[in-house]
Structures are given as structure tokens and as C-alpha cells.
Amino acid sequence: MFSSKQKNNMISKNMIKYIRSLEMKKNREREGMFVAEGPKIVSDLIAESNPKIIVATQEWLNSNKIDNKVERISVSETELKKISFLQHPQQVIGIFPIPKSETDTTICNKELCLALDKIQDPGNLGTIIRIADWFGISTIFCNEGTVDAFNPKVVQATMGSIARTRLIYTDLPSMLASLPDNTPIYATSLDGLNIYEQKLTNTGIIIMGNEGNGISPQIMKKVNNKLFIPSYRKTRNIDSLNVAIATAITCAEFKRRNTL
């Protein structure tokens, strides 16, 4: 849609319209592009792939090396506010290609993976991606109905971790059914066994469920290891943990156990 030649001029109304249009999933899918904002997130993504367009203050452009093939547009702080999805814009906006990821179920027999069953909150998904990156989990399978990982709110919440994490959207029940019978399939569940007392492997897949409904019965049928995170309150007034917090506790215990 736009030339990839280097530019350092005022931003056009068409370019502003184009960038703003990428807030919608259908436009991201049509263009194959997503928006990232802020020095850290943009820098982390640049380390993995070249952006198509960089829109930034001249100060940021002067301090960062960008491939000459990338279109660069210098803007004022005021202009940046017109484009940004953030309340407080942070110097730079990058337009990056959405990475293509083929479903590779064999990865679950080589390393630990995550699977998400209809996570709907962008902040939760972004935080889970960040947690996975922290604990060295590089592949996340997302069931249909999970919020788009390249939604600007999700990208922002990952704080750059989306650059190092492979997101695969798939039919999760079918994917789980295709795994070898001996693949460890874990899930957090109120009727599970104490996570701190169970054998945990360094391969397999951990399933985390929807914020309100948990893991669907169809997917739970595929689980062969149900885990429960115990509460240490003498009187339990809390029914469950936030899914991102539960993911962090679960991943931490798996990694702690398998790195001792």
C-alpha cells in the first residue's frame, strides 16, 4: 500500500488512517500487519524482524539505527498523539508484519508449551505471553475464541515478549487429539491434585482456561494431568485466581522442579 523507500517528512492523512485502521482485526488480517508502540517493544521486535514503517520523533530516529529499506516518518509529539493508541504516546510507532506460524504439534514432545482456551481479555493474554517468555516457553497454542494476539492492547501488555513467542491459533480439541497418547497434557482445575505434590515434566502442554468459564468440557476430556493450586487461607473466600496469575504460578513450579 505504501512505498518502502526512506522518508523523513510530515505524516499524511492517508498514513494516519492506515495505521489507525490496524486497530481492527479484519484490517490486520487483510494487510498482514500489526502496530507496536514504545521504544522497548519496537526495539525488541526490530531485533527479530524489520518493520514496514517506523513513525517516530526525530530524537528517536537520531538515536536508533533502522534498515534503509524501512519507511521512516518523522513526527512531532503532537502528531504522534493523533496516531497512537496509547493515552501517553512513547516516541515511536512501528508497523510490523504478522509472523506466519504453522501448527507444529511435535514441539510439545520436545519442550513445554502453553495452550489457551478462549482467553478474552487483552491484558490477560499480553501478560501470559510475557510470563511464557520469562519462563522460556516459546510456543503458545490459542483456541478459537481467544483474543487476537496482535491487538494493540495485547501487544502493549507483552512489553516486547511477543517478539520472542510463537502464537499458533488452531482448533485446540483437534490439535490435542492429534498428539501421541503419551504426551503429558496438564490443566489447572478445582478438582485437580495439588501441583506441589505431583510429578511435573519438562515436556508436554499446559492448558489455561477462559476467565469466567475455565476450560471447556470438550478440551478437559483430553487432559491426563489435572492440577490444583491450593489456597493457604484458613477460610476460603476466593473461588479462583486470575488466569494470568495462575499461569505464572504454574509455569514457575514446572520450571523450578525441572531446573533443580
Side-chain angles (χ1 to χ4, degrees):
M1 182 175 180
F2 293 98
S3 169
S4 61
K5 294 180 180 179
Q6 178 181 346
K7 293 181 180 179
N8 280 296
N9 53 3
M10 289 183 63
I11 190 163
S12 68
K13 290 182 179 179
N14 281 344
M15 180 63 79
I16 293 173
K17 184 178 179 181
Y18 171 69
I19 295 172
R20 295 292 305 181
S21 75
L22 296 177
E23 185 175 19
M24 297 181 66
K25 182 180 178 181
K26 67 177 183 179
N27 294 331
R28 292 194 296 272
E29 290 178 340
R30 184 187 67 239
E31 299 293 332
M33 296 285 164
F34 72 98
V35 178
E37 298 194 51
K40 184 186 187 306
I41 297 175
V42 170
S43 294
D44 284 357
L45 284 163
I46 286 174
E48 301 297 326
S49 67
N50 273 335
K52 179 181 180 181
I53 304 164
I54 287 290
V55 178
T57 62
Q58 194 59 51
E59 179 186 4
W60 189 92
L61 290 170
N62 291 342
S63 303
N64 293 270
K65 291 184 179 180
I66 305 295
D67 190 295
N68 286 333
K69 295 178 182 179
V70 177
E71 180 175 356
R72 287 165 282 178
I73 302 174
S74 175
V75 293
S76 66
E77 295 283 357
T78 301
E79 288 176 313
L80 201 62
K81 287 181 180 179
K82 295 179 182 178
I83 313 162
S84 176
F85 298 116
L86 302 178
Q87 187 174 358
H88 303 289
Q90 301 173 21
Q91 292 187 302
V92 58
I93 295 172
I95 311 303
F96 290 85
I98 295 174
K100 291 180 171 33
S101 296
E102 294 184 5
T103 302
D104 177 14
T105 57
T106 63
I107 195 73
C108 302
N109 297 106
K110 301 172 186 175
E111 59 188 59
L112 195 63
C113 302
L114 277 179
L116 307 178
D117 184 17
K118 298 183 180 179
I119 300 298
Q120 295 178 330
D121 183 82
N124 279 338
L125 179 56
T127 302
I128 289 170
I129 293 169
R130 192 175 178 184
I131 288 164
D133 185 31
W134 181 266
F135 288 107
I137 296 174
S138 59
T139 302
I140 301 177
F141 294 94
C142 299
N143 195 20
E144 296 168 358
T146 297
V147 63
D148 181 21
F150 298 98
N151 177 313
K153 291 180 181 178
V154 177
V155 174
Q156 198 65 29
T158 72
M159 289 304 293
S161 289
I162 198 167
R164 297 175 292 274
T165 308
R166 183 169 60 152
L167 282 299
I168 300 172
Y169 282 77
T170 186
D171 182 296
L172 197 52
S174 298
M175 188 277 281
L176 294 172
S178 72
L179 296 173
D181 291 339
N182 63 347
T183 303
I185 302 176
Y186 298 91
T188 54
S189 174
L190 291 175
D191 64 348
L193 300 174
N194 190 326
I195 188 173
Y196 302 116
E197 298 173 354
Q198 304 309 304
K199 179 182 178 181
L200 305 176
T201 59
N202 58 6
T203 62
I205 190 162
I206 304 168
I207 304 171
M208 306 304 295
N210 172 269
E211 293 90 342
N213 301 316
I215 297 170
S216 66
Q218 185 183 13
I219 290 175
M220 193 61 85
K221 288 179 182 178
K222 309 293 183 184
V223 173
N224 49 36
N225 293 276
K226 292 183 181 181
L227 302 174
F228 174 66
I229 301 170
S231 169
Y232 291 93
R233 287 185 60 88
K234 291 182 180 179
T235 57
R236 286 183 58 195
N237 297 320
I238 302 174
D239 291 331
S240 62
L241 289 168
N242 168 274
V243 65
I245 293 172
T247 301
I249 293 170
T250 303
C251 291
E253 184 61 15
F254 269 83
K255 292 299 181 176
R256 184 190 73 83
R257 203 82 67 79
N258 289 293
T259 53
L260 291 177

